[in-house]
Amino acid sequence: MIVEIKVPSPGESITEVEIGSWLVEDGAVVRKDQEIAEVESDKATLTIVASEAGKIAHKAAEGESVEVGAVVCTIDTSVAPAPKKEAAQAEAKAEEEAQPEEKKEVAPATEVKASEEFDKVKVTSVAKEMMKEHGLSVDDVISGLKRLGKKEVEAAMEAPKSAETFVPKKVASRDEERERMSSLRRKLSARLVSVKNETAMLTTFNEIDMSFVMDMRKTYQQKFIDKHGFKLGFMSFFTKAVAVAAEFHPMVNAQIDGDEIVIPQFVDVGIAVSTPKGLMVPIVRNAESKSIPEIELEIKELAEKARTKKISVDELSGGTFTITNGGVFGSLLSTPIINPPQSAILGMHNIVERPVAVNGQVVIRPMMYVALSYDHRIIDGKDSVGFLVKVKEMIENPERMFTNGKDAGELLLGI
């Protein structure tokens, strides 16, 4: 029986995808539920799996654009795949058959070289054994001598090696490599250019003392792992801080829709994740109503899905605010680009120990520069600066995340 494999729908708004790569060759015999191809949309890279076992026949080439629902391959179920155990044994046998041939090619050359080397001069048996033990050649030991002994080998062992021995010289090349841009990267490129041309983007900066959050992680990390089963990172703190700060400065969470300004009553935070196919931004929805452990787990799961191409378009759609962390790559300071139609993005950076003034004293603290890029068309300077200051306050005083961003003393005194 011939089974048709069609392109699944990645999302409601997507009508066309691109065949990114075939994971199996045309005519190969595949197993049921085996991944056979990767398809790329302008939002994500998804995989197609074999619904049945059998011999596959490609109906579309790599790089070809096909409509959602189109047949990309067929599977002939009358051809059964070999059992896994037999396939593994056949593969191991093929490796064993290939190995002796390689040895036959290499061994004679080595023997000839060694015999020719020792035929040039007279070498004692003791010297030969020492040279073999320490990996020395005749050229390493002598220069114009006609007889090698124990003393000559010992002298060569103590001689310093040349720089070329430790640092191999790179061969000069003028070669180039070319690869086709993926659909995801082409769409990302167009969006980034449109942001620069269509928004009044500005960036404001601040710095955060990370010692309070770092001390908290150090103190409670093991207990956190024991209870929740995963590590506590920094991103969950910033996600929660952003969600709380948006309640004080809602315009940072707003968007322009034609002639109207849309101000969501929720905070859906996009977390920028770098993948081999390009940048993806999975969404943590309703971050304002979630705890730090809930946010941390969701970030971990979404990032893993994005990197393994298991993420859905729905998990990448929407979002009212974005956080990007260039610090994981060593960035000290940058100006992040807004993710449209959002109006602002927070950039985290590397944590560096720097001297700072604390209560009139110069102390060393782990500091992080943070940057907020925003669309000045709807976000005023007061809101942008105030938002970033509020995030700084909550990261430096994490307990304020439990008091909705307010000072505990003010709440206690009712002021």
Side-chain angles (χ1 to χ4, degrees), residues 162-171:
S162 64
E164 292 184 358
T165 304
F166 301 101
V167 184
K169 187 176 180 180
K170 189 172 183 179
V171 179

Side-chain angles (χ1 to χ4, degrees), residues 2-253:
I2 303 298
V3 177
E4 294 182 338
I5 304 298
K6 299 180 180 181
V7 177
S9 175
E12 292 182 3
S13 61
I14 299 175
T15 59
E16 189 178 73
V17 298
E18 184 179 293
I19 304 297
S21 62
W22 283 103
L23 304 180
V24 294
E25 295 181 356
D26 189 18
V29 180
V30 299
R31 300 184 304 275
K32 184 177 180 180
D33 297 328
Q34 180 180 345
E35 294 183 350
I36 56 176
E38 291 180 349
V39 294
E40 298 175 349
S41 68
D42 58 3
K43 292 184 178 180
T45 299
L46 307 172
T47 57
I48 297 178
V49 299
S51 58
E52 298 291 341
K55 185 177 181 180
I56 191 170
H58 296 176
K59 298 300 180 183
E62 288 188 2
E64 183 179 343
S65 294
V66 295
E67 293 183 358
V68 171
V71 178
V72 290
C73 67
T74 59
I75 296 178
D76 184 356
T77 58
S78 63
V79 181
K84 291 184 179 180
K85 185 176 180 180
E86 292 181 10
Q89 290 175 349
E91 186 176 347
K93 185 177 180 181
E95 290 179 0
E96 289 176 2
E97 290 175 353
Q99 195 171 4
E101 295 180 4
E102 296 176 1
K103 289 183 178 180
K104 288 177 183 178
E105 292 176 1
V106 175
T110 305
E111 290 173 4
V112 170
K113 183 179 179 182
S115 62
E116 288 178 354
E117 201 172 57
F118 288 125
D119 285 344
K120 293 177 184 178
V121 293
K122 185 178 180 181
V123 185
T124 66
S125 58
V126 175
K128 285 183 181 180
E129 291 300 323
M130 292 179 66
M131 290 168 64
K132 289 180 180 179
E133 181 181 351
H134 297 281
L136 297 174
S137 66
V138 173
D139 291 336
D140 293 330
V141 181
I142 66 168
S143 177
L145 296 178
K146 296 300 182 183
R147 184 180 185 279
L148 289 183
K150 181 178 179 181
K151 291 182 180 180
E152 287 77 13
V153 176
E154 289 176 344
M157 289 163 52
E158 297 175 359
K161 298 286 186 180
S162 64
E164 292 184 358
T165 304
F166 301 101
V167 184
K169 187 176 180 180
K170 189 172 183 179
V171 179
S173 172
R174 304 292 295 170
D175 296 338
E176 295 179 340
E177 289 186 8
R178 287 178 177 266
E179 60 180 31
R180 193 170 185 273
M181 289 180 68
S182 66
S183 176
L184 176 63
R185 190 167 290 279
R186 291 199 303 271
K187 182 65 175 180
L188 177 62
S189 301
R191 285 165 67 89
L192 293 177
V193 172
S194 68
V195 170
K196 298 290 288 184
N197 295 334
E198 299 173 8
T199 65
M201 194 179 81
L202 294 178
T203 306
T204 183
F205 304 92
N206 213 316
E207 62 179 355
I208 296 177
D209 184 349
M210 295 294 294
S211 57
F212 303 95
V213 170
M214 292 177 73
D215 289 343
M216 181 179 291
R217 289 180 70 225
K218 184 178 180 181
T219 302
Y220 299 107
Q221 184 70 278
Q222 191 55 53
K223 290 183 178 179
F224 187 90
I225 295 173
D226 293 341
K227 181 171 182 178
H228 300 289
F230 50 88
K231 288 185 177 181
L232 175 63
F234 293 124
M235 188 62 77
S236 55
F237 285 94
F238 278 88
T239 303
K240 186 64 177 180
V242 161
V244 176
E247 296 184 17
F248 292 85
H249 303 277
M251 293 305 293
V252 176
N253 195 48

Side-chain angles (χ1 to χ4, degrees), residues 297-312:
L297 176 60
E298 193 164 346
I299 291 173
K300 180 179 179 297
E301 291 176 343
L302 289 171
E304 183 64 23
K305 284 183 179 180
R307 294 191 181 100
T308 56
K309 306 167 192 173
K310 303 295 185 183
I311 196 162
S312 68

